[in-house]
Amino acid sequence: MELLSGLLSSLGLSGAAGLNAFVPLLLVGLLSRFGVLGLNEPFDLLGNTWVLVGIGVLGLLDFVGDKIPGVDHALHLLGGVVNTAAGAVLFASQSGVADIPPALSMALGLIVAGGVHATRTAVRPVATATTGGLGNPVVSGVEDGTSVLLSVLAVFAPVLGAVLLAVVVVLAVRFWTRLRPHRLV
């Protein structure tokens, strides 16, 4: 059961990182700092005071910048690297209980976070175009809120976190397929 719980937690946290890299990093770091969550080396550095301050400052800048049309698109380009790297680190930090080789766990986290981030990046220009940028703060707020909820569930209720991640993916795919023009064969 611990294997399944660790894998589901890893999936949830890396998926949350695809939406907002800083939320799950900050949550895992704070939980580690206060002894609620144990992390093996080198991932225990997430609980370091200076690392937490850095994540918090960058997260705040990202939170504000993601609400501004134009700036959000630049952040999404940068997020292609940051979010996927965060997803890889978070997946590997949680999957230590599952005896998955670190390289494989980081690759899985990269794929999950990268897939969620790519979907987010593809959908955002549509929201910008259809609302003249006025919908960006709302969409960003939903992404941030979903990342918080997914992060908390991934740590404390991994099965629910995995279900939420699946729902997010299904909704994103349905939204994307409705927006794409249908081609005749």
mmCIF file of all heavy atoms in Angstrom, residues 24-64:
data_model
loop_
_atom_site.group_PDB
_atom_site.id
_atom_site.type_symbol
_atom_site.label_atom_id
_atom_site.label_comp_id
_atom_site.label_asym_id
_atom_site.label_seq_id
_atom_site.Cartn_x
_atom_site.Cartn_y
_atom_site.Cartn_z
ATOM 1 N N PRO A 24 3.575 23.419 -5.009
ATOM 2 C CA PRO A 24 3.936 22.134 -4.393
ATOM 3 C C PRO A 24 5.346 22.135 -3.807
ATOM 4 O O PRO A 24 5.590 21.484 -2.787
ATOM 5 C CB PRO A 24 3.794 21.122 -5.526
ATOM 6 C CG PRO A 24 3.862 21.917 -6.773
ATOM 7 C CD PRO A 24 3.342 23.282 -6.440
ATOM 8 N N LEU A 25 6.270 22.881 -4.418
ATOM 9 C CA LEU A 25 7.623 22.965 -3.845
ATOM 10 C C LEU A 25 7.574 23.602 -2.463
ATOM 11 O O LEU A 25 8.210 23.121 -1.521
ATOM 12 C CB LEU A 25 8.553 23.777 -4.755
ATOM 13 C CG LEU A 25 9.046 23.095 -6.019
ATOM 14 C CD1 LEU A 25 9.791 24.096 -6.906
ATOM 15 C CD2 LEU A 25 9.931 21.906 -5.693
ATOM 16 N N LEU A 26 6.813 24.687 -2.338
ATOM 17 C CA LEU A 26 6.695 25.374 -1.054
ATOM 18 C C LEU A 26 5.987 24.491 -0.028
ATOM 19 O O LEU A 26 6.428 24.398 1.122
ATOM 20 C CB LEU A 26 5.954 26.699 -1.238
ATOM 21 C CG LEU A 26 5.980 27.668 -0.074
ATOM 22 C CD1 LEU A 26 7.411 28.058 0.287
ATOM 23 C CD2 LEU A 26 5.174 28.921 -0.410
ATOM 24 N N LEU A 27 4.918 23.821 -0.433
ATOM 25 C CA LEU A 27 4.193 22.950 0.488
ATOM 26 C C LEU A 27 5.076 21.813 0.993
ATOM 27 O O LEU A 27 5.176 21.587 2.198
ATOM 28 C CB LEU A 27 2.937 22.375 -0.175
ATOM 29 C CG LEU A 27 2.162 21.385 0.687
ATOM 30 C CD1 LEU A 27 1.474 22.094 1.839
ATOM 31 C CD2 LEU A 27 1.159 20.612 -0.144
ATOM 32 N N VAL A 28 5.737 21.127 0.076
ATOM 33 C CA VAL A 28 6.608 20.014 0.473
ATOM 34 C C VAL A 28 7.763 20.518 1.342
ATOM 35 O O VAL A 28 8.106 19.898 2.349
ATOM 36 C CB VAL A 28 7.125 19.256 -0.770
ATOM 37 C CG1 VAL A 28 8.246 18.290 -0.419
ATOM 38 C CG2 VAL A 28 5.979 18.501 -1.437
ATOM 39 N N GLY A 29 8.326 21.664 0.982
ATOM 40 C CA GLY A 29 9.418 22.236 1.771
ATOM 41 C C GLY A 29 8.974 22.605 3.181
ATOM 42 O O GLY A 29 9.672 22.318 4.160
ATOM 43 N N LEU A 30 7.814 23.233 3.296
ATOM 44 C CA LEU A 30 7.306 23.612 4.620
ATOM 45 C C LEU A 30 6.955 22.383 5.456
ATOM 46 O O LEU A 30 7.256 22.329 6.655
ATOM 47 C CB LEU A 30 6.085 24.525 4.486
ATOM 48 C CG LEU A 30 6.371 25.954 4.033
ATOM 49 C CD1 LEU A 30 5.073 26.693 3.709
ATOM 50 C CD2 LEU A 30 7.182 26.707 5.078
ATOM 51 N N LEU A 31 6.328 21.394 4.842
ATOM 52 C CA LEU A 31 5.993 20.171 5.575
ATOM 53 C C LEU A 31 7.249 19.441 6.028
ATOM 54 O O LEU A 31 7.289 18.877 7.118
ATOM 55 C CB LEU A 31 5.116 19.262 4.714
ATOM 56 C CG LEU A 31 3.695 19.769 4.457
ATOM 57 C CD1 LEU A 31 2.967 18.842 3.484
ATOM 58 C CD2 LEU A 31 2.923 19.933 5.743
ATOM 59 N N SER A 32 8.283 19.485 5.220
ATOM 60 C CA SER A 32 9.560 18.897 5.607
ATOM 61 C C SER A 32 10.185 19.696 6.746
ATOM 62 O O SER A 32 10.687 19.129 7.718
ATOM 63 C CB SER A 32 10.509 18.858 4.407
ATOM 64 O OG SER A 32 11.795 18.449 4.802
ATOM 65 N N ARG A 33 10.144 20.999 6.630
ATOM 66 C CA ARG A 33 10.725 21.896 7.636
ATOM 67 C C ARG A 33 10.112 21.672 9.019
ATOM 68 O O ARG A 33 10.795 21.704 10.034
ATOM 69 C CB ARG A 33 10.515 23.350 7.193
ATOM 70 C CG ARG A 33 10.924 24.383 8.181
ATOM 71 C CD ARG A 33 12.344 24.673 8.064
ATOM 72 N NE ARG A 33 12.700 25.757 8.949
ATOM 73 C CZ ARG A 33 13.928 26.077 9.178
ATOM 74 N NH1 ARG A 33 14.893 25.435 8.576
ATOM 75 N NH2 ARG A 33 14.203 27.047 9.983
ATOM 76 N N PHE A 34 8.794 21.439 9.043
ATOM 77 C CA PHE A 34 8.094 21.269 10.314
ATOM 78 C C PHE A 34 7.942 19.807 10.725
ATOM 79 O O PHE A 34 7.203 19.501 11.650
ATOM 80 C CB PHE A 34 6.737 21.979 10.274
ATOM 81 C CG PHE A 34 6.873 23.472 10.166
ATOM 82 C CD1 PHE A 34 6.461 24.142 9.030
ATOM 83 C CD2 PHE A 34 7.450 24.201 11.194
ATOM 84 C CE1 PHE A 34 6.600 25.518 8.920
ATOM 85 C CE2 PHE A 34 7.599 25.582 11.098
ATOM 86 C CZ PHE A 34 7.173 26.247 9.958
ATOM 87 N N GLY A 35 8.633 18.917 10.028
ATOM 88 C CA GLY A 35 8.677 17.517 10.426
ATOM 89 C C GLY A 35 7.447 16.695 10.097
ATOM 90 O O GLY A 35 7.302 15.570 10.566
ATOM 91 N N VAL A 36 6.562 17.219 9.283
ATOM 92 C CA VAL A 36 5.358 16.484 8.903
ATOM 93 C C VAL A 36 5.664 15.481 7.802
ATOM 94 O O VAL A 36 5.069 14.412 7.736
ATOM 95 C CB VAL A 36 4.247 17.462 8.443
ATOM 96 C CG1 VAL A 36 3.015 16.720 7.959
ATOM 97 C CG2 VAL A 36 3.903 18.432 9.552
ATOM 98 N N LEU A 37 6.620 15.831 6.951
ATOM 99 C CA LEU A 37 6.968 15.013 5.795
ATOM 100 C C LEU A 37 8.471 14.772 5.809
ATOM 101 O O LEU A 37 9.244 15.732 5.914
ATOM 102 C CB LEU A 37 6.558 15.759 4.515
ATOM 103 C CG LEU A 37 6.701 15.068 3.186
ATOM 104 C CD1 LEU A 37 5.757 13.876 3.098
ATOM 105 C CD2 LEU A 37 6.374 16.044 2.071
ATOM 106 N N GLY A 38 8.876 13.533 5.727
ATOM 107 C CA GLY A 38 10.304 13.215 5.690
ATOM 108 C C GLY A 38 10.803 13.124 4.261
ATOM 109 O O GLY A 38 10.179 12.467 3.429
ATOM 110 N N LEU A 39 11.889 13.794 3.977
ATOM 111 C CA LEU A 39 12.504 13.744 2.651
ATOM 112 C C LEU A 39 13.925 13.223 2.774
ATOM 113 O O LEU A 39 14.659 13.620 3.676
ATOM 114 C CB LEU A 39 12.535 15.142 2.016
ATOM 115 C CG LEU A 39 11.191 15.814 1.740
ATOM 116 C CD1 LEU A 39 11.407 17.224 1.215
ATOM 117 C CD2 LEU A 39 10.370 15.003 0.756
ATOM 118 N N ASN A 40 14.295 12.350 1.849
ATOM 119 C CA ASN A 40 15.660 11.848 1.803
ATOM 120 C C ASN A 40 16.558 12.889 1.147
ATOM 121 O O ASN A 40 16.088 13.787 0.452
ATOM 122 C CB ASN A 40 15.721 10.539 1.008
ATOM 123 C CG ASN A 40 14.976 9.417 1.706
ATOM 124 O OD1 ASN A 40 14.911 9.372 2.932
ATOM 125 N ND2 ASN A 40 14.398 8.528 0.926
ATOM 126 N N GLU A 41 17.877 12.723 1.360
ATOM 127 C CA GLU A 41 18.838 13.598 0.680
ATOM 128 C C GLU A 41 18.770 13.319 -0.805
ATOM 129 O O GLU A 41 18.528 12.203 -1.213
ATOM 130 C CB GLU A 41 20.250 13.317 1.192
ATOM 131 C CG GLU A 41 20.479 13.801 2.593
ATOM 132 C CD GLU A 41 21.941 13.618 3.022
ATOM 133 O OE1 GLU A 41 22.771 13.261 2.183
ATOM 134 O OE2 GLU A 41 22.209 13.832 4.196
ATOM 135 N N PRO A 42 18.949 14.260 -1.628
ATOM 136 C CA PRO A 42 19.205 15.684 -1.451
ATOM 137 C C PRO A 42 17.923 16.509 -1.364
ATOM 138 O O PRO A 42 17.971 17.719 -1.262
ATOM 139 C CB PRO A 42 19.985 16.051 -2.700
ATOM 140 C CG PRO A 42 19.399 15.181 -3.757
ATOM 141 C CD PRO A 42 19.059 13.882 -3.049
ATOM 142 N N PHE A 43 16.774 15.831 -1.404
ATOM 143 C CA PHE A 43 15.499 16.540 -1.446
ATOM 144 C C PHE A 43 15.157 17.229 -0.137
ATOM 145 O O PHE A 43 14.298 18.108 -0.104
ATOM 146 C CB PHE A 43 14.384 15.574 -1.863
ATOM 147 C CG PHE A 43 14.701 14.879 -3.157
ATOM 148 C CD1 PHE A 43 15.021 13.538 -3.171
ATOM 149 C CD2 PHE A 43 14.716 15.577 -4.346
ATOM 150 C CE1 PHE A 43 15.338 12.899 -4.350
ATOM 151 C CE2 PHE A 43 15.035 14.955 -5.539
ATOM 152 C CZ PHE A 43 15.341 13.612 -5.542
ATOM 153 N N ASP A 44 15.843 16.859 0.943
ATOM 154 C CA ASP A 44 15.615 17.512 2.228
ATOM 155 C C ASP A 44 16.015 18.984 2.188
ATOM 156 O O ASP A 44 15.616 19.764 3.050
ATOM 157 C CB ASP A 44 16.341 16.777 3.346
ATOM 158 C CG ASP A 44 17.846 16.717 3.167
ATOM 159 O OD1 ASP A 44 18.321 16.869 2.021
ATOM 160 O OD2 ASP A 44 18.544 16.506 4.180
ATOM 161 N N LEU A 45 16.763 19.383 1.168
ATOM 162 C CA LEU A 45 17.122 20.801 1.005
ATOM 163 C C LEU A 45 15.886 21.677 0.777
ATOM 164 O O LEU A 45 15.939 22.887 1.017
ATOM 165 C CB LEU A 45 18.091 20.985 -0.159
ATOM 166 C CG LEU A 45 19.523 20.536 0.097
ATOM 167 C CD1 LEU A 45 20.349 20.611 -1.170
ATOM 168 C CD2 LEU A 45 20.151 21.387 1.196
ATOM 169 N N LEU A 46 14.792 21.079 0.330
ATOM 170 C CA LEU A 46 13.567 21.859 0.141
ATOM 171 C C LEU A 46 13.078 22.468 1.453
ATOM 172 O O LEU A 46 12.364 23.465 1.447
ATOM 173 C CB LEU A 46 12.468 20.981 -0.465
ATOM 174 C CG LEU A 46 12.641 20.589 -1.926
ATOM 175 C CD1 LEU A 46 11.570 19.590 -2.343
ATOM 176 C CD2 LEU A 46 12.615 21.808 -2.822
ATOM 177 N N GLY A 47 13.468 21.897 2.584
ATOM 178 C CA GLY A 47 13.072 22.424 3.887
ATOM 179 C C GLY A 47 14.027 23.460 4.451
ATOM 180 O O GLY A 47 13.785 24.019 5.525
ATOM 181 N N ASN A 48 15.111 23.755 3.737
ATOM 182 C CA ASN A 48 16.086 24.753 4.168
ATOM 183 C C ASN A 48 15.446 26.146 4.134
ATOM 184 O O ASN A 48 14.724 26.486 3.193
ATOM 185 C CB ASN A 48 17.311 24.696 3.246
ATOM 186 C CG ASN A 48 18.343 25.729 3.593
ATOM 187 O OD1 ASN A 48 18.152 26.916 3.322
ATOM 188 N ND2 ASN A 48 19.445 25.288 4.158
ATOM 189 N N THR A 49 15.736 26.953 5.142
ATOM 190 C CA THR A 49 15.137 28.287 5.252
ATOM 191 C C THR A 49 15.377 29.125 4.007
ATOM 192 O O THR A 49 14.449 29.750 3.479
ATOM 193 C CB THR A 49 15.702 29.030 6.485
ATOM 194 O OG1 THR A 49 15.432 28.244 7.649
ATOM 195 C CG2 THR A 49 15.090 30.411 6.623
ATOM 196 N N TRP A 50 16.613 29.158 3.524
ATOM 197 C CA TRP A 50 16.939 29.988 2.361
ATOM 198 C C TRP A 50 16.282 29.467 1.088
ATOM 199 O O TRP A 50 15.858 30.253 0.232
ATOM 200 C CB TRP A 50 18.447 30.117 2.190
ATOM 201 C CG TRP A 50 19.032 30.915 3.309
ATOM 202 C CD1 TRP A 50 19.813 30.455 4.327
ATOM 203 C CD2 TRP A 50 18.822 32.308 3.566
ATOM 204 N NE1 TRP A 50 20.113 31.468 5.199
ATOM 205 C CE2 TRP A 50 19.521 32.628 4.757
ATOM 206 C CE3 TRP A 50 18.112 33.312 2.920
ATOM 207 C CZ2 TRP A 50 19.528 33.902 5.295
ATOM 208 C CZ3 TRP A 50 18.116 34.590 3.469
ATOM 209 C CH2 TRP A 50 18.821 34.872 4.633
ATOM 210 N N VAL A 51 16.167 28.169 0.970
ATOM 211 C CA VAL A 51 15.487 27.590 -0.194
ATOM 212 C C VAL A 51 14.000 27.952 -0.141
ATOM 213 O O VAL A 51 13.416 28.349 -1.156
ATOM 214 C CB VAL A 51 15.692 26.061 -0.247
ATOM 215 C CG1 VAL A 51 14.829 25.425 -1.324
ATOM 216 C CG2 VAL A 51 17.162 25.730 -0.477
ATOM 217 N N LEU A 52 13.404 27.860 1.050
ATOM 218 C CA LEU A 52 11.996 28.231 1.204
ATOM 219 C C LEU A 52 11.762 29.712 0.895
ATOM 220 O O LEU A 52 10.779 30.066 0.236
ATOM 221 C CB LEU A 52 11.513 27.908 2.608
ATOM 222 C CG LEU A 52 11.310 26.427 2.909
ATOM 223 C CD1 LEU A 52 11.092 26.206 4.402
ATOM 224 C CD2 LEU A 52 10.164 25.866 2.105
ATOM 225 N N VAL A 53 12.663 30.565 1.349
ATOM 226 C CA VAL A 53 12.534 32.002 1.054
ATOM 227 C C VAL A 53 12.640 32.226 -0.453
ATOM 228 O O VAL A 53 11.840 32.978 -1.032
ATOM 229 C CB VAL A 53 13.606 32.824 1.813
ATOM 230 C CG1 VAL A 53 13.675 34.250 1.292
ATOM 231 C CG2 VAL A 53 13.315 32.819 3.315
ATOM 232 N N GLY A 54 13.598 31.587 -1.102
ATOM 233 C CA GLY A 54 13.754 31.720 -2.553
ATOM 234 C C GLY A 54 12.528 31.244 -3.308
ATOM 235 O O GLY A 54 12.044 31.917 -4.228
ATOM 236 N N ILE A 55 11.996 30.088 -2.912
ATOM 237 C CA ILE A 55 10.794 29.560 -3.558
ATOM 238 C C ILE A 55 9.624 30.513 -3.328
ATOM 239 O O ILE A 55 8.851 30.796 -4.250
ATOM 240 C CB ILE A 55 10.456 28.144 -3.028
ATOM 241 C CG1 ILE A 55 11.507 27.141 -3.486
ATOM 242 C CG2 ILE A 55 9.068 27.710 -3.491
ATOM 243 C CD1 ILE A 55 11.399 25.778 -2.817
ATOM 244 N N GLY A 56 9.507 31.037 -2.116
ATOM 245 C CA GLY A 56 8.425 31.968 -1.803
ATOM 246 C C GLY A 56 8.490 33.247 -2.619
ATOM 247 O O GLY A 56 7.476 33.710 -3.154
ATOM 248 N N VAL A 57 9.677 33.827 -2.729
ATOM 249 C CA VAL A 57 9.843 35.073 -3.502
ATOM 250 C C VAL A 57 9.550 34.823 -4.974
ATOM 251 O O VAL A 57 8.796 35.580 -5.607
ATOM 252 C CB VAL A 57 11.261 35.660 -3.304
ATOM 253 C CG1 VAL A 57 11.545 36.759 -4.297
ATOM 254 C CG2 VAL A 57 11.425 36.167 -1.874
ATOM 255 N N LEU A 58 10.135 33.769 -5.535
ATOM 256 C CA LEU A 58 9.883 33.453 -6.945
ATOM 257 C C LEU A 58 8.421 33.114 -7.182
ATOM 258 O O LEU A 58 7.841 33.497 -8.204
ATOM 259 C CB LEU A 58 10.776 32.302 -7.406
ATOM 260 C CG LEU A 58 12.267 32.623 -7.502
ATOM 261 C CD1 LEU A 58 13.067 31.365 -7.797
ATOM 262 C CD2 LEU A 58 12.519 33.702 -8.548
ATOM 263 N N GLY A 59 7.818 32.415 -6.230
ATOM 264 C CA GLY A 59 6.402 32.076 -6.344
ATOM 265 C C GLY A 59 5.519 33.309 -6.327
ATOM 266 O O GLY A 59 4.544 33.398 -7.076
ATOM 267 N N LEU A 60 5.850 34.276 -5.476
ATOM 268 C CA LEU A 60 5.086 35.518 -5.421
ATOM 269 C C LEU A 60 5.210 36.303 -6.731
ATOM 270 O O LEU A 60 4.216 36.805 -7.263
ATOM 271 C CB LEU A 60 5.554 36.382 -4.241
ATOM 272 C CG LEU A 60 4.803 37.685 -4.026
ATOM 273 C CD1 LEU A 60 3.324 37.424 -3.739
ATOM 274 C CD2 LEU A 60 5.435 38.469 -2.888
ATOM 275 N N LEU A 61 6.420 36.388 -7.259
ATOM 276 C CA LEU A 61 6.629 37.072 -8.549
ATOM 277 C C LEU A 61 5.853 36.375 -9.664
ATOM 278 O O LEU A 61 5.232 37.022 -10.513
ATOM 279 C CB LEU A 61 8.120 37.135 -8.884
ATOM 280 C CG LEU A 61 8.972 38.027 -7.986
ATOM 281 C CD1 LEU A 61 10.455 37.856 -8.317
ATOM 282 C CD2 LEU A 61 8.543 39.481 -8.113
ATOM 283 N N ASP A 62 5.871 35.046 -9.668
ATOM 284 C CA ASP A 62 5.143 34.271 -10.671
ATOM 285 C C ASP A 62 3.639 34.468 -10.497
ATOM 286 O O ASP A 62 2.902 34.619 -11.471
ATOM 287 C CB ASP A 62 5.505 32.792 -10.550
ATOM 288 C CG ASP A 62 4.773 31.941 -11.566
ATOM 289 O OD1 ASP A 62 5.096 32.040 -12.761
ATOM 290 O OD2 ASP A 62 3.860 31.175 -11.153
ATOM 291 N N PHE A 63 3.170 34.487 -9.250
ATOM 292 C CA PHE A 63 1.747 34.658 -8.971
ATOM 293 C C PHE A 63 1.241 35.984 -9.542
ATOM 294 O O PHE A 63 0.194 36.030 -10.195
ATOM 295 C CB PHE A 63 1.505 34.595 -7.454
ATOM 296 C CG PHE A 63 0.068 34.787 -7.067
ATOM 297 C CD1 PHE A 63 -0.828 33.734 -7.143
ATOM 298 C CD2 PHE A 63 -0.384 36.024 -6.625
ATOM 299 C CE1 PHE A 63 -2.160 33.905 -6.787
ATOM 300 C CE2 PHE A 63 -1.709 36.204 -6.266
ATOM 301 C CZ PHE A 63 -2.603 35.151 -6.349
ATOM 302 N N VAL A 64 1.980 37.051 -9.308
ATOM 303 C CA VAL A 64 1.576 38.373 -9.795
ATOM 304 C C VAL A 64 1.733 38.454 -11.313
ATOM 305 O O VAL A 64 0.814 38.876 -12.025
ATOM 306 C CB VAL A 64 2.392 39.488 -9.102
ATOM 307 C CG1 VAL A 64 2.124 40.840 -9.740
ATOM 308 C CG2 VAL A 64 2.079 39.517 -7.610
#
